[in-house]
Amino acid sequence: MTAAENVCYTLINVPMDSEPPSEITLKTDLEKGDVKSKTEALKKVIIMILNGEKLPGLLMTIIRFVLPLQDHTIKKLLLVFWEIVPKTTPDGKLLQEMILVCDAYRKDLQHPNEFIRGSTLRFLCKLKEAELLEPLMPAIRACLEHRHSYVRRNAVLAIYTIYRNFEHLIPDAPELIHDFLVNEKDASCKRNAFMMLIHADQDRALDYLSTCIDQVHTFGDILQLVIVELIYKVCHANPSERARFIRCIYNLLQSSSPAVKYEAAGTLVTLSSAPTAIKAAAQCYIDLIIKESDNNVKLIVLDRLIELKDHPSHERVLQDLVMDILRVLGTPDLEVRKKTLQLALDLVSSRNVEELVIVLKKEVIKTNNVTEHEDTDKYRQLLVRTLHSCSVRFPDMAANVIPVLMEFLSDSNEAAAADVLEFVREAVQRFDNLRTLIVEKMLEVFHAIKSVKIYRGALWILGEYCSTKDDIQSVMTEVRRSLGEVPIVENEIKKESGELKPEEEVTVGPSQKLVTEMGTYATQSALSSSRPTKKEEERPPLRGFLLDGDFFVAASLATTLTKIALRYVALVPDKKKQNSFVAESMLLMATILHLGKSSLPKKPITDDDVDRISLCLKVLSECSPLMNEIFNKECRLSLSHMLSAKLEEEKLSQKKESEKRNVTVQADDHISFMQLTAKSEMASKEDQFQLSLLAAMGTTQRKEAADPLAEDALANVSIEKPIHLGPDAPVTGHIRIRAKSQGMALSLGDKINLSQKKSTV
């Protein structure tokens, strides 16, 4: 036996805080000690042998004084001891003492206690000495008829291991186990016996399966799993057997065991490419994802669905199951939802996009009603992005999606609101027919926007796409409402000094005059302590941003006011109304500049923002055609260029992804004909008939054979370099059939002329 074969199957934790005992002490404990002392001594012997000690003098002592004991703990330890102790002399001959040990094994195999019998049988699986096993064969055979299933299933494993390592000891093992399998009732015993037949004698395993193939769905899950394994191996080795067993796999898709359903679905996909088979397997995967509680299982099964989707011929089948796949969104795990949404988006088509959008809209509304959770905002973000992608790919859906999503511009989660804003910006540029709807909804939610970043984006969209007189007036009204009383500086100073009291403060003032315990009214200090909080609450949103020192939004507001003022001048012929609107816009900019230069904001206005607002004031004061062109046309053109570049980039990435998935077959690639395929090729994992058909259609690529001499015959078409004389010019090439046998090759060839068509050859 080589060093590599001399392995140990048992790992024991060794405490290192004590001194190892001497061999004499151990011998004394093993000879004269009680059961407890012998147990401890035997443990120490095992540890020392594992550490490399030889201890040859203790072997006979253990055989004489420990082996006859009937204590179960001693017997368990002895099995470990006999596993690790050297059983041969240096020249490879079996030790004489092992004959006594062998007799002890035989007695344990006939022991009335089923645990001792079963443990001994498991131990025999680890023995590598045929001389020790040979005398035990009758006892091992007898254990197959024991009343207890624990003994019988371990007897099967022992017979299988012995047959695999030393076939001459039990040459009739497959027949013996087949007869045992026919009469056995216990599921675990049948599973072990069937597994042995799969690896030892596959024909007998198939014979047994044929007799009970209609009852497979009633078997236990452990037996069903090995039946699936057998069918998988047999059908790949012999494709003609598929029709015989495919119905059995279909039945196992209805098994009560999730593991069996998963394996059966995977096997069905590899055995058949028929749409009904793919649909049944995919439906099984979806049911597993929904019913299993473990998120790791959900992710693994989702990966299987994604692999199915990546196959060109399976994608259309999965498109019909998009609504079933969306049921997985009921899972609270964010990663599962993310993969599900991506899969649904990849499978969406014009046939099911409407239903998909309805489901996603419901999910978006649900996230608004659920108690805030850290994953709720992220999930809402995923939904918004998915709806965004759907609307870009299917413009007809945008009108249904936009009203729902624009409600989330006022969301406290800035990331989700930013995704909505990005979607709205793209939609308002691409879909002219939706601009009126988008502007109307934007004006509705404008006052409720909480984030300054979203506020700036909304201002830009309103300034860019408000094209009617009424819309422009509505924007100005919303801006005035959001800015509050002007001029801002004087108004804020009056509030601070108490000269100007807000209406709310005046109305609630009397209620603050409460009588104290001393019988007097509340003092002024109590009222003043509540005023700053009220002022914060009463501030309009835009004024709040400005007083916090965020003047970048003021620069954005100045640009918006300039755009709508220039557009208003072009739309309204009345000079008086023109001047009034422009003057109001300039007043708002001037009061913001005044506020920025004062000490009221938390941060002063930056020079860049001053320059921008000053430029807008100058543009409005002059109203030149050049500036009108720049503000009302060039800005929108820049957005159009950016969106076009983004769309091109997405198309390019999709094209690359598509090229990865769809491998094109070249004109001179090999086509493998089923009738000319070698047996070794037939044993490969691919469906040869389907493979040759797909190769002829140009949708897949044939892998090279591992052994070039394993081919019986191979057809090959080679096209010579064409001379481009027009779309209908002939193409010249050669067709060859090569036959190989025992290293000798025969090649037949002939020249051919092909008529080139407009489609790809």
Side-chain angles (χ1 to χ4, degrees):
M1 183 182 294
T2 63
E5 292 173 337
N6 190 15
V7 294
C8 175
Y9 299 88
T10 309
L11 298 177
I12 300 176
N13 180 39
V14 183
M16 303 301 294
D17 55 350
S18 59
E19 286 290 328
S22 65
E23 188 172 344
I24 298 173
T25 307
L26 290 172
K27 192 171 184 178
T28 305
D29 289 341
L30 291 170
E31 286 183 7
K32 301 177 180 177
D34 55 9
V35 172
K36 187 176 180 182
S37 301
K38 290 182 177 181
T39 303
E40 292 301 320
L42 189 55
K43 287 180 180 178
K44 292 174 182 176
V45 170
I46 292 171
I47 291 169
M48 291 174 71
I49 293 176
L50 287 173
N51 287 335
E53 298 288 342
K54 298 297 182 185
L55 304 180
L58 292 181
L59 182 60
M60 203 61 207
T61 304
I62 291 174
I63 292 172
R64 286 178 59 200
F65 298 102
V66 181
L67 194 56
L69 297 178
Q70 295 301 311
D71 182 75
H72 287 192
T73 305
I74 293 282
K75 287 194 172 292
K76 286 167 66 177
L77 289 172
L78 281 172
L79 292 177
V80 178
F81 174 76
W82 296 127
E83 180 185 345
I84 63 174
V85 73
K87 305 173 187 65
T88 56
T89 59
D91 57 356
K93 292 183 179 179
L94 193 68
L95 292 172
Q96 295 295 325
E97 294 89 339
M98 297 310 295
I99 297 172
L100 300 173
V101 178
C102 184
D103 186 58
Y105 292 158
R106 186 180 53 76
K107 289 178 180 176
D108 284 345
L109 288 174
Q110 297 169 347
H111 199 282
N113 184 284
E114 61 272 6
F115 173 75
I116 292 176
R117 280 203 191 196
S119 301
T120 307
L121 287 164
R122 288 178 67 87
F123 161 71
L124 294 179
C125 295
K126 304 171 186 178
L127 282 185
K128 302 296 183 185
E129 291 79 20
E131 299 94 324
L132 282 175
L133 292 168
E134 189 172 4
L136 303 176
M137 294 315 300
I140 295 173
R141 285 171 176 265
C143 287
L144 286 174
E145 301 172 2
H146 194 271
R147 58 181 176 79
H148 203 285
S149 61
Y150 178 71
V151 177
R152 296 198 302 274
R153 70 168 176 260
N154 282 302
V156 173
L157 285 179
I159 289 172
Y160 172 44
T161 310
I162 295 167
Y163 177 77
R164 188 178 59 192
N165 296 330
F166 312 105
E167 187 177 341
H168 64 279
L169 293 181
I170 183 167
D172 62 336
E175 183 182 352
L176 179 68
I177 295 300
H178 180 267
D179 295 341
F180 168 81
L181 182 59
V182 170
N183 300 315
E184 182 56 53
K185 303 298 181 188
D186 182 76
S188 61
C189 297
K190 291 173 76 171
R191 181 256 181 196
N192 286 1
F194 194 75
M195 187 176 67
M196 176 191 163
L197 289 181
I198 290 175
H199 295 95
D201 192 342
Q202 206 171 85
D203 292 337
R204 290 185 188 275
L206 287 173
D207 290 343
Y208 171 75
L209 182 58
S210 300
T211 60
C212 59
I213 197 164
D214 294 330
Q215 288 85 39
V216 166
H217 63 281
T218 63
F219 293 166
D221 55 348
I222 54 175
L223 182 54
Q224 287 177 342
L225 281 172
V226 291
I227 288 174
V228 171
E229 180 187 347
L230 173 66
I231 293 174
Y232 182 86
K233 288 182 176 180
V234 169
C235 291
H236 277 305
N238 188 3
S240 61
E241 294 282 357
R242 292 180 184 183
R244 178 181 172 191
F245 294 112
I246 201 94
R247 178 53 53 191
C248 178
I249 293 293
Y250 268 106
N251 291 337
L252 289 176
L253 291 178
Q254 310 303 322
S255 172
S256 58
S257 167
V260 174
K261 291 170 74 172
Y262 176 78
E263 292 296 337
T267 301
L268 184 60
V269 168
T270 60
L271 297 186
S272 174
S273 298
T276 51
I278 301 303
K279 186 173 183 179
Q283 192 68 59
C284 180
Y285 282 146
I286 294 168
D287 291 341
L288 280 174
I289 298 169
I290 293 168
K291 292 176 182 177
E292 279 300 306
S293 57
D294 191 335
N295 289 328
N296 293 319
V297 173
K298 292 176 186 285
L299 290 171
I300 290 169
V301 182
L302 265 173
D303 287 337
R304 301 288 81 77
L305 278 176
I306 292 169
E307 286 175 11
L308 279 181
K309 179 261 301 179
D310 290 339
H311 197 289
S313 61
H314 299 165
E315 188 172 3
R316 185 169 178 81
V317 178
L318 288 178
Q319 285 176 352
D320 297 332
L321 298 173
V322 167
M323 300 312 295
D324 291 324
I325 292 171
L326 288 176
R327 289 162 57 202
V328 181
L329 292 177
T331 304
D333 184 70
L334 185 66
E335 194 62 32
V336 173
R337 285 171 161 177
K338 184 177 180 180
K339 277 196 173 185
T340 304
L341 285 173
Q342 186 58 52
L343 177 60
L345 190 59
D346 291 341
L347 293 172
V348 71
S349 65
S350 55
R351 293 179 293 126
N352 53 29
V353 65
E354 192 171 348
E355 295 173 329
L356 174 69
V357 167
I358 291 171
V359 172
L360 294 181
K361 281 167 62 178
K362 288 180 180 177
E363 288 294 316
V364 169
I365 294 167
K366 278 184 196 174
T367 62
N368 207 25
N369 301 330
V370 185
T371 311
E372 283 299 319
H373 185 268
E374 61 175 336
D375 284 344
T376 305
D377 292 338
K378 294 178 182 177
Y379 179 45
R380 188 183 303 145
Q381 217 172 328
L382 288 173
L383 290 168
V384 168
R385 288 176 181 173
T386 308
L387 284 169
H388 180 180
S389 301
C390 285
S391 301
V392 171
R393 287 171 57 184
F394 305 97
D396 295 343
M397 293 294 106
N400 297 330
V401 173
I402 287 170
V404 177
L405 291 187
M406 289 190 71
E407 297 293 334
F408 292 96
L409 285 174
S410 57
D411 199 344
S412 56
N413 178 19
E414 187 177 298
D419 283 335
V420 174
L421 188 70
E422 184 182 344
F423 167 49
V424 170
R425 185 186 66 182
E426 189 170 346
V428 77
Q429 171 64 22
R430 285 186 175 174
F431 312 130
D432 295 347
N433 58 321
L434 297 178
R435 283 179 184 171
T436 306
L437 172 66
I438 292 173
V439 170
E440 182 185 335
K441 291 295 295 182
M442 184 70 78
L443 287 169
E444 285 179 16
V445 301
F446 186 74
H447 68 280
I449 296 174
K450 300 179 181 68
S451 167
V452 65
K453 182 180 176 183
I454 308 304
Y455 203 92
R456 288 200 309 266
L459 274 174
W460 188 90
I461 290 172
L462 289 173
E464 194 63 49
Y465 295 99
C466 285
S467 54
T468 65
K469 176 186 169 185
D470 292 339
D471 286 344
I472 291 171
Q473 288 284 10
S474 299
V475 172
M476 180 59 81
T477 304
E478 286 296 330
V479 169
R480 289 298 300 263
R481 177 183 174 188
S482 184
L483 198 57
E485 195 74 32
V486 293
I488 300 173
V489 175
E490 286 78 357
N491 187 263
E492 287 295 320
I493 291 173
K494 286 180 181 179
K495 283 184 182 179
E496 287 293 331
S497 62
E499 293 178 25
L500 181 66
K501 295 185 179 180
E503 289 183 13
E504 291 84 352
E505 194 172 328
V506 173
T507 55
V508 298
S511 65
Q512 294 295 323
K513 292 184 178 181
L514 302 175
V515 180
T516 65
E517 293 179 358
M518 302 297 294
T520 59
Y521 287 108
T523 60
Q524 181 66 28
S525 61
L527 183 60
S528 62
S529 65
S530 63
R531 277 182 61 191
T533 306
K534 288 186 177 182
K535 279 166 59 182
E536 293 292 335
E537 291 175 359
E538 292 160 7
R539 274 183 189 164
L542 184 53
R543 179 175 290 209
F545 298 146
L546 296 175
L547 288 173
D548 287 338
D550 195 336
F551 283 94
F552 188 32
V553 70
S556 180
L557 174 63
T559 305
T560 298
L561 290 173
T562 304
K563 289 178 181 177
I564 62 174
L566 292 172
R567 210 171 292 134
Y568 189 84
V569 169
L571 289 171
V572 178
D574 190 346
K575 273 284 183 186
K576 187 176 179 182
K577 289 184 179 179
Q578 288 179 7
N579 292 337
S580 173
F581 194 91
V582 172
E584 186 175 7
S585 301
M586 295 176 76
L587 172 64
L588 295 180
M589 294 184 216
T591 190
I592 290 172
L593 274 177
H594 187 198
L595 174 64
K597 299 290 186 181
S598 71
S599 60
L600 290 176
K602 294 178 181 178
K603 298 176 187 175
I605 191 170
T606 64
D607 292 340
D608 289 341
D609 296 331
V610 170
D611 292 344
R612 184 68 174 175
I613 297 172
S614 302
L615 172 66
C616 292
L617 283 169
K618 187 174 182 182
V619 169
L620 286 181
S621 64
E622 296 176 356
C623 289
S624 68
L626 177 62
M627 289 294 109
N628 197 350
E629 177 82 12
I630 292 171
F631 272 84
N632 279 330
K633 291 185 180 177
E634 295 293 333
C635 292
R636 191 178 301 185
L637 200 59
S638 299
L639 174 65
S640 179
H641 289 328
M642 187 195 79
L643 292 177
S644 299
K646 184 180 175 184
L647 188 63
E648 286 298 321
E649 189 178 333
E650 287 177 358
K651 284 182 178 177
L652 189 63
S653 64
Q654 287 177 3
K655 185 179 178 183
K656 287 181 179 177
E657 188 66 27
S658 178
E659 286 174 355
K660 284 181 186 176
R661 287 166 50 190
N662 301 326
V663 183
T664 307
V665 175
Q666 303 301 326
D668 58 347
D669 277 355
H670 296 162
I671 297 178
S672 178
F673 294 99
M674 195 170 181
Q675 288 79 4
L676 304 175
T677 305
K679 290 182 180 178
S680 57
E681 285 291 301
M682 292 291 288
S684 66
K685 290 188 176 181
E686 293 93 346
D687 181 346
Q688 297 296 328
F689 178 79
Q690 186 75 11
L691 197 63
S692 58
L693 183 62
L694 291 175
M697 293 190 300
T699 55
T700 188
Q701 188 172 25
R702 180 75 178 88
K703 292 183 180 178
E704 295 291 335
D707 181 5
L709 296 179
E711 304 166 5
D712 284 347
L714 186 65
N716 175 240
V717 179
S718 61
I719 306 298
E720 293 179 357
K721 187 174 181 181
I723 301 172
H724 297 288
L725 300 175
D728 296 322
V731 178
T732 305
H734 289 83
I735 183 167
R736 297 183 182 87
I737 295 180
R738 300 196 309 274
K740 294 184 179 181
S741 180
Q742 297 178 352
M744 295 181 294
L746 173 66
S747 181
L748 302 174
D750 195 8
K751 195 167 184 178
I752 58 168
N753 286 313
L754 304 174
S755 179
Q756 185 179 357
K757 302 296 181 185
K758 289 183 180 179
S759 60
T760 304
V761 177

